[in-house]
Amino acid sequence: MTNVLMLASYGLEIVECGGAIAKAVAAGETVNAAVLMCREESRPQVSRAADILGVTGDVDFLDVSFGEVDLASSTKVKVVELIRRTRPDVIIMQDPQHAQHDLDPDRRVIALLFAEALAVAGRDWRVEECGGHDPHPIPTIYYMTPEHPNCVVEIGDVLDKKLKALQELSSQNTFSAQHWLEHTTPEILRSVIPAWTDAELETLGAEGQRAFFTALALTNGLASHSGAVLGEPYRREGTFVMDRLTR
């Protein structure tokens, strides 16, 4: 049975990968999730969203502060302990190529932190300090929301579950709405998010994210040549090794 770990920088990423998570759970796979940075008030919301998607057990909140991510051993130990404890076959994490151009705080350093943690998790590095778990080799890595995907997951049968999980993230939805309004007007937003019929920021954020997630799935599905109807894009790290050429 495949063991999947969703290694999120922020809580929203669990829902962004909600299609792949829900499909994995439906196939009988184990899916664990951890969030590097999450405000205290947002944690119950992220946990409820993860429950809807079928994430195994509780979400691990690693308690790293915003704007203070570094490659120090104390931070790395938290990620290494998680990897060795959960022993994933597959890790989903942010795309380091995308992170280089994203001016959200910490994203570039997080990409390095995750990569370095994966590297030492498979070696004899601070075993006792990292919970006493045996080293775990680098698993298969899939980068989420990549600029240049090389695979997509068909999520047509689980998109409703992904969008239901999104509704739980009220803090994130409100934050997103505030961010959008700094860059455009309510009139323009209503033209692209017609479901926003009140003046509530949370509603704007929720309906906007719903529209964006659906548009992204269509962009990587019916609107592309991927062969998917509603596609969730990923970039698999490294070369695909196959026994033979298959469909």
Side-chain angles (χ1 to χ4, degrees):
M1 182 176 67
T2 302
N3 186 4
V4 180
L5 173 61
M6 169 67 237
L7 197 54
S9 306
Y10 310 101
L12 178 63
E13 292 171 14
I14 293 176
V15 177
E16 287 183 281
C17 298
I21 290 173
K23 295 283 287 207
V25 171
E29 298 172 357
T30 299
V31 182
N32 292 287
V35 184
L36 195 68
M37 295 180 290
C38 190
R39 291 184 173 86
E40 193 69 36
E41 64 271 19
S42 299
R43 294 183 184 189
Q45 300 168 20
V46 173
S47 294
R48 289 195 298 270
D51 284 343
I52 289 170
L53 295 169
V55 168
T56 305
D58 296 330
V59 175
D60 280 285
F61 295 102
L62 301 184
D63 294 320
V64 176
S65 299
F66 290 88
E68 298 180 6
V69 178
D70 57 30
L71 300 180
S73 296
S74 58
T75 305
K76 200 182 302 180
V77 160
K78 294 182 178 183
V79 184
V80 172
E81 189 279 332
L82 170 73
I83 293 167
R84 289 178 179 165
R85 170 165 48 87
T86 58
R87 309 190 71 77
D89 304 297
V90 170
I91 277 187
I92 306 172
M93 57 182 275
Q94 70 174 28
D95 183 5
Q97 292 181 1
H98 186 185
Q100 296 306 310
H101 310 293
D102 190 330
L103 294 182
D104 274 0
D106 301 303
R107 280 208 184 269
R108 288 154 299 285
V109 182
I110 291 170
L112 288 173
L113 170 65
F114 286 169
E116 287 299 309
L118 279 165
V120 296
R123 291 169 169 79
D124 189 14
W125 183 81
R126 302 198 178 191
V127 172
E128 292 306 316
E129 191 176 346
C130 295
H133 311 291
D134 291 335
H136 182 67
I138 297 173
T140 301
I141 302 169
Y142 286 94
Y143 299 125
M144 57 173 286
T145 58
E147 294 185 4
H148 304 289
N150 60 14
C151 51
V152 298
V153 177
E154 171 59 64
I155 64 167
D157 55 341
V158 294
L159 179 62
D160 58 339
K161 186 171 289 190
K162 177 175 178 174
L163 297 178
K164 182 180 179 182
L166 171 67
Q167 297 298 313
E168 297 293 336
L169 304 183
S170 57
S171 296
Q172 175 64 55
N173 292 334
T174 299
F175 173 83
S176 296
Q178 291 170 333
H179 176 70
W180 301 335
L181 286 168
E182 290 174 0
H183 297 279
T184 189
T185 65
E187 291 72 26
I188 290 177
L189 286 172
R190 283 197 171 90
S191 71
V192 296
I193 310 171
W196 182 37
T197 57
D198 58 29
E200 296 296 324
L201 289 178
E202 183 181 342
T203 308
L204 169 59
E207 293 300 336
Q209 295 283 22
R210 171 186 286 269
F212 299 160
F213 284 179
T214 303
L216 182 64
L218 285 167
T219 299
N220 291 278
L222 285 176
S224 73
H225 297 288
S226 70
V229 177
L230 294 170
E232 199 171 76
Y234 293 90
R235 179 167 68 88
R236 177 171 165 153
E237 173 64 56
T239 303
F240 291 79
V241 178
M242 302 179 292
D243 293 327
R244 55 190 170 79
L245 296 180
T246 61
R247 298 195 290 160

